[in-house]
Structure formats: structure tokens, C-alpha cells
């Protein structure tokens, strides 16, 4: 993954709901390749707000075939970046944007005939709509079923766009809305996508055994509910893809554990590779993790959430061992292949070598 930031101009702002807007960037010809993306991936945006650098990840809401670079930002209470982006950002402004990354994606193939199922909640629809559009375009023989939970009909992002997609791909795209604070005639569609609702849905509307892959993105409790409901029905975890947003902060207990470990690792030397260069870096207990120790030594190691969810700070351990607190942003396969989240990791002993380029 390239960690380069590029300054991009905001070409257009689209008000999706009262508290969510999409930002479309103008991509100059020379950066077209750098900003090629896979469906479901995200961008890290960097801005200076009130004199402080703030970075956040936002998912792309478009299919690669649409030829646009567009993310959706939902305003969250007290969210510095999301409030600023919804209130102050204007067309013509420039933002620093990191090249697309993320593993919440799928290789769609023209000759495949699959059934995909997604559980989305609130702004968790953003990477999911990118996957849906791509599946509709790239896999004409495949179907997609979406279960989409929201507070009320006013807060449904992409309501119209989803309806249009459904009409255009009749028989291939099924969309079921669940509203927590509004009621409609069919009881199944009232209420939140909690565990009981996910169980009901999997009994009544899809056969989990027949679906190729499941995509889950939304608030933490909804994601846990959908995942548990699928696992309880015997769905193998490698068919379940989960994208966690930064809203889920790692538990305090994990952070305390990280601090405790840091104290014992003060001064250990690590070998860090970044952008093809190898540097010896001392671990700093005050920095508290490998990422911040590297940055303290002057290496521009990449990060966005610093909460273990976005995987922007991912690196591979080439030798030695680490202790990792939160690891939401990594798949089991990535962990097995030696990848760590450096914002959540502390070296265990001398001889640690990590590679950000791997
Ligand atoms: S910076 Fe997001 S997981 Fe480390």
C-alpha cells in the first residue's frame, strides 16, 4: 500500500441527508493510476482544523467503473472532521488524500454466478453500495441482497440511489430496509438489526448456506449481531467480511494493557522499513506503540484512526515478536501472515523488525 498523500481539489459536495454529504474529488490525469481503487476500499483524508492535523478514513461510495472518486462523510456528534466536512468544506477547497486502501473488498468475475448478502447500518452503507454497484456491473450473473438498518426514513443515506439500482437490476438486487423508530405493516422490518432481528432475517429471507460471501458494516453492536447470527448458522468466518469504522474505540482495558507493556519495552531497538529505507528506531514507552515511536524518530509512518480499526498503520513483522491490543482492522489471514497494527503494538524483546512496505 502506498502511503503517499496527494492534494486533491473538492469538485462537488452532494447533500445525501441532513447530516451526511459526499465529497467528490477532482483527480488530475497524472494521478489517475494512483487513485485506482477496488470496491469497498476507503481513503484517508487529512486536514488542518483549528490548527491541528486531523486524519480520518472514509469509504468510497462508487464503483471503480463510474470513473469518480467520491466518499461519504456522516456527521457524528462531537466529530471534529465530520462536523468540519459537513459545515465548512466548500467546492474548490483542497484536501490531502491518501491513495485508496482497505481489505473490505471482493474480486468480482464476469463469469461468476454468486449470491452476496450485506448487513449495513447507517453510514456503513457507504462501502456496501460500492460493492453492490460493482457486483451489478461486473458480475451480470450474480445477485445481491442488502439488509439496511437506520433510525428513520429521513436518515437513510442513498435511499433514492438504492431504489434506482433496484429497479435497474430487478431480480438481481433485493433491498430490505429496517427502521428503528418508524413502524410499517410488516413487523419483520420494524426495529433495529439486533441479534434477534438478524436471526429472523436469516430464517425468513436468505439461506446462509447458499450465499457466497457476507459483508457487514455499521455500528459495532449491529456488526456483532450479524456476525454472531451467521456464525451460529455454521457460516465459515472466511465468508464473512467486516468493516469497522472508527466509532468503535478499543476497550479501555486494552489500552491499559498496552501502556503496561510499553513500560517494560522502553528503549528496545526496532528495525523499521518504510518507503524502501531501513532505520533503527528506539521504542518509546511515552509514545506507547510502535507507530508513534517510529514517528517520534522522524519516520513518516502512516496512520489515521490510531484505534486499531482502519489498518492504515499496518506493517509486517519480519522477525521478533509483538504484543497487539486491538486488531479490528486485520483479518485472521493477515494476522497469520505476520501483519500487525503498529498503533496497537509493542515489541516483546530485542530484534523486532517491521516492514511498512510489505
Ligand atoms: S491507525 Fe488505524 S489501525 Fe492503526
Amino acid at each position: 500500500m502506498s502511503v503517499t498523500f496527494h492534494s486533491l481539489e473538492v469538485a462537488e459536495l452532494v447533500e445525501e441527508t441532513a447530516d451526511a454529504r459526499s465529497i467528490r474529488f477532482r483527480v488530475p490525469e497524472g494521478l489517475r493510476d494512483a487513485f485506482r481503487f477496488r470496491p469497498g476500499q476507503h481513503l484517508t483524508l487529512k486536514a488542518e482544523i483549528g490548527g491541528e492535523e486531523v486524519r480520518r478514513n472514509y469509504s468510497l461510495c462508487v464503483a471503480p467503473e463510474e470513473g469518480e472518486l467520491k466518499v461519504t462523510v456522516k456527521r457524528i456528534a462531537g466529530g471534529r472532521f465530520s462536523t468540519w466536512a459537513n459545515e465548512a468544506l466548500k467546492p474548490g477547497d483542497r484536501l490531502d488524500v491518501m491513495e485508496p486502501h482497505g481489505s473490505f473488498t471482493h474480486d468480482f468475475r464476469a463469469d461468476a454466478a454468486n449470491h452476496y448478502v450485506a448487513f449495513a447500518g447507517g453510514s456503513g452503507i457507504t462501502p456496501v453500495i460500492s460493492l453492490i454497484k460493482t457486483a451489478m456491473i461486473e458480475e451480470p450473473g450474480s445477485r445481491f441482497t442488502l439488509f439496511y438498518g437506520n433510525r428513520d426514513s429521513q436518515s437513510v443515506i442513498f435511499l433514492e440511489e438504492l431504489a434506482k439500482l433496484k429497479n435497474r437490476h430487478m431480480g438481481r438486487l433485493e433491498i430490505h430496509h429496517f427502521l428503528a423508530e418508524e413502524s410499517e405493516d410488516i413487523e419483520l422490518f420494524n426495529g433495529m438489526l439486533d441479534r434477534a432481528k438478524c436471526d429472523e432475517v436469516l430464517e425468513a429471507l436468505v439461506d446462509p448456506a447458499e450465499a457466497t460471501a457476507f459483508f457487514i458494516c455499521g455500528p459495532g453492536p449491529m456488526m456483532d449481531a450479524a456476525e454472531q447470527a451467521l456464525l451460529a448458522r455454521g457460516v465459515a468466518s472466511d465468508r464473512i467480511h467486516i468493516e469497522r469504522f472508527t466509532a468503535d474505540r478499543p476497550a479501555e482495558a486494552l489500552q491499559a494493557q498496552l501502556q503496561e507493556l510499553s513500560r517494560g519495552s522502553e528503549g528496545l531497538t526496532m528495525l523499521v522499513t518504510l518507503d524502501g529505507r531501513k532505520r533503527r528506531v528506539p521504542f518509546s514507552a511515552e509514545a506507547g506503540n510502535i507507530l508513534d515511536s517510529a514517528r517520534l524518530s522522524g519516520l513518516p509512518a502512516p496512520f489515521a484512526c490510531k484505534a486499531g480499526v482502519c489498518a492504515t498503520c499496518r506493517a509486517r513483522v519480519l522477525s521478533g515478536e509483538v504484543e497487539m491490543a486491538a486488531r479490528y482492522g486485520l483479518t485472521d489471514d493477515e494476522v497469520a501472515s505476520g501483519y500487525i497494527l503498529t498503533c496497537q503494538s509493542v515489541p516483546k524483546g530485542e530484534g523486532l523488525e517491521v516492514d511498512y512496505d510489505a
Side-chain angles (χ1 to χ4, degrees), residues 63-84:
E65 287 79 1
E66 290 178 278
E68 290 188 337
L69 193 74
K70 189 157 87 170
V71 295
T72 306
V73 180
K74 165 136 190 238
R75 187 201 316 241
I76 51 169
R80 292 188 70 186
F81 195 102
S82 66
T83 304
W84 174 81

Side-chain angles (χ1 to χ4, degrees), residues 57 291 302-313 341-344:
N57 281 343
L291 169 79
F303 69 93
C305 71
K306 289 200 185 175
V309 296
C310 73
T312 309
C313 65
L341 299 174
T342 54
C343 74
Q344 296 293 311

